[in-house]
Amino acid sequence: MLRLIALLLFPVAAMAQVQQGPPNASFQPAFAEQTRAKVLNTSRVTVETFASGLDRPWGIATLPGGQFLVTERPGRLRVINADGSVSAPIEGLPAVDARQQGGLLDVAISPNFASDRTVFWTYAKPLPEQKTVTAAARGVLTSDGKMTEVREIFVQDPPSWHPIHYGSRIIPMPDGTVWITTGEHSEPNDRVKAQDNNTTYGKVIRINADGSAPADNPFVGRDGIDTIWSYGHRNIQGAAIGPGGLWTIEHGPAGGDELNKPLAGRNYGWPVISYGVNYGGSPVGSGKAVQDGMEQPVYYWDPVIAPAGMAFYDGPHAAWSGDLLIGSLNPGGVVRIRIRNDRVVGEERLLRDYGRIRDIEVLDDGSVLILSGSRGEVLRVTPR
């Protein structure tokens, strides 16, 4: 099925900002470009169903030769072939805790996959007494579709009773380090651990590919867990390498979704400060959005976009060059933002009719694969 979509809903010249509804909170941004950017020029795209019949897909990674790895939350990892056909589940992965927001989550391949065939993934790990944590593992994918030499490289600590807010993006880097994002399991007794550097709740984690801590991590030799890079995060479900390094995106409560560029050892505020409010309307933490010693987001959304996977566009379509494409779970679709000098200067909402978008992968030919979790499909989107 192929559709040409002209996403022209409002006259661009008459609309200063993206249409998104009234905010939940009454905070003023800390600087002019921090929220509600001007609308970008309307995109024209074609949308094609590339693969279907998946069960709550969550993460996607490109393999050599036109194949892809896709996770399904119940615990299955599959190969999607160049013709869109879907393989049987790959054998050898560990069991997952698939309750609520848990399951098999992100997947990525080694920068040296052509020679080492190493795959990395994250998942909700089941523990005794129905406790749970975010975990990451690696393995070697055989040519006949089995995962071998499986080993854990990260296990969140301490265990939680609450099977939500796992975070869970993973990015292996060419220098042998690996980025992992975590959540704070949401409940009041757990969320405060985002401020506790003796836990790995609500953190950006940086490890070596064997699970050890790089010697230049900010808390090595200081109070705090050596694998922590930054803290004070809520539920980081998007991460990508872009201008200047790692960028992340996390869910706020009612309002306050945040785009951040996490710096070593910095505190990003949750649950002390936020640009949102609790779901019942009460203030978050201090009731403030700004506090000394805590970082400001590069950009925030209120109302939320409920962000998921994201990718910087490095394909040949000049109108999108360098833009960040973000999957949205609510209201759904894709959010395109333009970043200049670490500030957001424009935003566009795309593909709102395609449900909850879990992950995004930019292909060499300039097209983009998006995972629709609610439709169980992989869609190929080509900008025109």
Side-chain angles (χ1 to χ4, degrees), residues 64-84:
Q67 294 180 308
F68 306 90
L69 288 173
V70 175
T71 61
E72 294 177 307
R73 274 188 45 215
R76 295 179 292 270
L77 178 64
R78 298 182 186 270
V79 174
I80 298 180
N81 297 306
D83 63 359

Side-chain angles (χ1 to χ4, degrees), residues 36 159 256 286 318 326 339:
R36 296 183 176 247
S286 66
I326 304 162
I339 300 170

Side-chain angles (χ1 to χ4, degrees), residues 212-333:
S212 62
D216 58 347
N217 271 5
F219 293 99
V220 172
R222 297 170 51 193
D223 182 37
I225 295 174
D226 289 352
T227 58
I228 293 173
W229 178 261
S230 62
Y231 64 106
H233 300 284
R234 187 170 183 262
N235 185 23
I236 309 172
Q237 287 200 4
I241 303 302
L246 180 71
W247 293 71
T248 63
I249 195 164
E250 65 190 75
H251 289 248
D257 290 348
E258 292 186 5
L259 175 70
N260 287 301
K261 189 178 180 182
L263 300 175
R266 301 292 181 88
N267 180 357
Y268 287 80
W270 181 260
V272 180
I273 60 173
S274 173
Y275 279 98
V277 294
N278 289 313
Y279 294 121
S282 62
V284 169
S286 66
K288 301 176 182 179
V290 179
Q291 184 164 309
D292 288 346
M294 295 181 177
E295 302 300 313
Q296 283 292 296
V298 172
Y299 195 71
Y300 71 87
W301 287 265
D302 183 13
V304 300
I305 60 169
M310 67 186 193
F312 283 90
Y313 185 81
D314 57 1
H317 183 61
W320 285 12
S321 181
D323 291 351
L324 182 58
L325 306 177
I326 304 162
S328 167
L329 303 176
N330 182 20

Side-chain angles (χ1 to χ4, degrees), residues 92-94 118-121 123 125 135-140 147-155 170 207-212:
L93 272 70
T118 298
V119 177
F120 296 83
W121 64 92
Y123 61 105
K125 181 178 180 178
R138 57 179 288 182
V140 175
M147 197 67 71
T148 62
E149 302 179 44
V150 173
R151 58 174 295 185
E152 287 180 343
I153 56 173
F154 171 76
V155 178
I170 187 166
I207 59 174
N208 294 313
D210 63 1
S212 62

